[in-house]
Amino acid sequence: RCLWSAGAGSVVPHLLARGPCRLEPGGRQAAATSAMVVMQSAVELVLAAVPVAGPQLMWHTGVQVAMWIPCYIFAKWGWPEHKDPVGVADTFASLVLFPALTACAILATSQTYQTVDLRWSGTTPAGTAFFYGFFARLVIHTPMQFFVCMPKRQLFLMTIHHTVSAVCFGAGIVTSRMQFFGCFSGCCEMSTVFLTTLFLFRDVTVKGRPLKECLPKWVYAANGTLLWLTFLVFRLLLFPTWLYMWYRDVKDAPTETWEKSTLVEQYMYPAVILLLLGLSTFWFFPLTKGFLKALGVIGGGGRAKQDKAE
C-alpha cells in the first residue's frame, strides 16, 4: 500500500510493505485483485493531489473557466438558434487552449528526452504547465461533454478517455515523475488543433451557411490533410514509440525506473497508452473516410454519412 506525505515542496512515496510492490500471476482472482490494488493506488494518488497541488489546479481551472464563459456568451449571442451552443463555445475556447497545451508538451518533451534520468525524473516549467493545464481541462470537460451533442458511444469512449487520463496526470502531478512520458503522450493533442478547426468550419454558420462553404475549398481540404497527417504521426506512430521507449528504459535501467515506480506508473501508465492507441485506431477509420470524401477521392453515401465520418 502506498502512503503519500508532503514535505519540502514535494511528495515522497512510502511503501508500507515487507517487500517491493509487485503483482503476482495466479488466475482470474489474482488478476482482479491486482487490478484493484492498482486502482486503489491510483485513487490514493489523486486524493493526495488535492492538498499538494490544489492552489495551482484552482488557478489553471479558473483561467480556463474564465476563458470559456465569454465563449459561451458569444456563442449564444451570435448563434441563438444553434442546437449545440456548449459545443460551439468549447470549440472557440479550444482554438486557444490546445495550441498552448501542445506547445508546452512539445517544448517539455524536447527538454527531457535525452537520458533515462531526465525521462523518469526530469521536470521543466513547460512540462509542469502542461500537466496542470491538461488536468484542469479534463476536470472541466468531463462533465461538460454531457451537455454537448454527440452520439452515446462517443460520449462513453470520451468519458473513459478523460477519466483514465485524469488519474494518470493527477498521479504525475503528485509524484513529479515521468514528466517526459506525460508530455510526450500529450503531443498527441497536435491533431486536436486541426480537429478543433474542422469543428469550427462545420458547426459555425455565416448567414445560414456552414463556415466551410464560405471559404475556399482548399482551406478546408488543407485542414483535413493536416488533421489526417497529425493524427497518423502524433497518435498512431507516437503511442507505439512511447511504449517502446518506456519498455527500453525499464529493461536497460530497472533500478532507476521500475524499482522506483509506483503501481500506477508501472501498470496503469502503459495500459492507458494502449487504450489510447486502441481508441485512436478505432477513430482513424472514420477520420480517413471523411478525409477522402473531403478531397473528392471517394464519393456517394450522402451528406449525413459524410458528416458522421467527419
Side-chain angles (χ1 to χ4, degrees):
R1 184 181 177 186
C2 296
L3 176 67
W4 299 89
S5 62
S10 63
V11 178
V12 181
H14 301 278
L15 299 179
L16 302 183
R18 293 186 177 181
C21 286
R22 64 174 183 264
L23 305 182
E24 299 289 353
R28 294 182 179 180
Q29 183 176 359
T33 302
S34 299
M36 290 299 296
V37 171
V38 174
M39 290 305 300
Q40 179 183 352
S41 180
V43 171
E44 290 176 351
L45 283 170
V46 172
L47 292 177
V50 176
V52 174
Q56 287 199 57
L57 284 177
M58 290 180 63
W59 187 87
H60 281 272
T61 303
V63 168
Q64 293 187 33
V65 170
M67 180 173 61
W68 188 87
I69 291 176
C71 292
Y72 180 75
I73 295 173
F74 178 63
K76 291 291 289 184
W77 172 77
W79 297 268
E81 303 299 326
H82 201 287
K83 63 179 181 180
D84 189 14
V86 175
V88 173
D90 189 54
T91 296
F92 289 145
S94 297
L95 289 172
V96 177
L97 178 63
F98 279 101
L101 288 176
T102 304
C104 288
I106 293 175
L107 178 59
T109 299
S110 69
Q111 295 172 335
T112 54
Y113 78 92
Q114 292 86 352
T115 65
V116 172
D117 183 61
L118 279 175
R119 288 193 291 272
W120 287 73
S121 302
T123 60
T124 68
T128 301
F130 174 76
F131 266 64
Y132 280 98
F134 193 67
F135 185 83
R137 164 67 181 182
L138 294 170
V139 170
I140 294 171
H141 196 256
T142 298
M144 181 192 302
Q145 63 185 357
F146 286 89
F147 300 93
V148 175
C149 295
M150 69 171 67
K152 291 183 178 180
R153 182 176 64 178
Q154 182 76 357
L155 176 62
F156 174 73
L157 293 176
M158 289 299 293
T159 301
I160 294 177
H161 169 277
H162 284 20
T163 301
V164 297
S165 297
V167 170
C168 289
F169 278 96
I173 288 173
V174 173
T175 63
S176 296
R177 284 175 43 82
M178 298 182 68
Q179 196 173 95
F180 162 80
F181 287 97
C183 291
F184 188 35
S185 66
C187 292
C188 73
E189 299 302 336
M190 174 66 78
S191 64
T192 308
V193 174
F194 300 103
L195 180 64
T196 301
T197 307
L198 183 145
F199 289 155
L200 181 72
F201 290 162
R202 186 190 65 184
D203 297 337
V204 173
T205 58
V206 178
K207 297 181 179 180
R209 299 171 58 199
L211 181 59
K212 66 181 180 181
E213 296 182 6
C214 303
L215 297 172
K217 291 184 178 180
W218 68 266
V219 174
Y220 185 70
N223 183 78
T225 301
L226 290 171
L227 171 58
W228 189 86
L229 288 174
T230 54
F231 203 95
L232 175 66
V233 174
F234 287 90
R235 287 182 180 270
L236 298 187
L237 298 181
L238 184 148
F239 291 142
T241 303
W242 188 105
L243 290 167
Y244 174 76
M245 295 182 70
W246 179 87
Y247 167 76
R248 290 296 303 181
D249 284 351
V250 170
K251 181 180 179 181
D252 295 342
T255 57
E256 299 178 53
T257 58
W258 186 265
E259 295 178 11
K260 293 182 179 180
S261 301
T262 65
L263 289 174
V264 174
E265 293 167 337
Q266 291 174 343
Y267 297 98
M268 194 167 186
Y269 281 15
V272 169
I273 295 299
L274 283 171
L275 172 64
L276 295 179
L277 177 60
L279 289 175
S280 297
T281 303
F282 174 77
W283 288 327
F284 188 66
F285 290 102
L287 175 67
T288 300
K289 186 177 180 181
F291 168 59
L292 295 176
K293 285 186 176 181
L295 292 181
V297 177
I298 61 175
R303 180 73 249 173
K305 290 185 178 180
Q306 180 171 342
D307 287 341
K308 183 178 180 181
E310 291 172 350

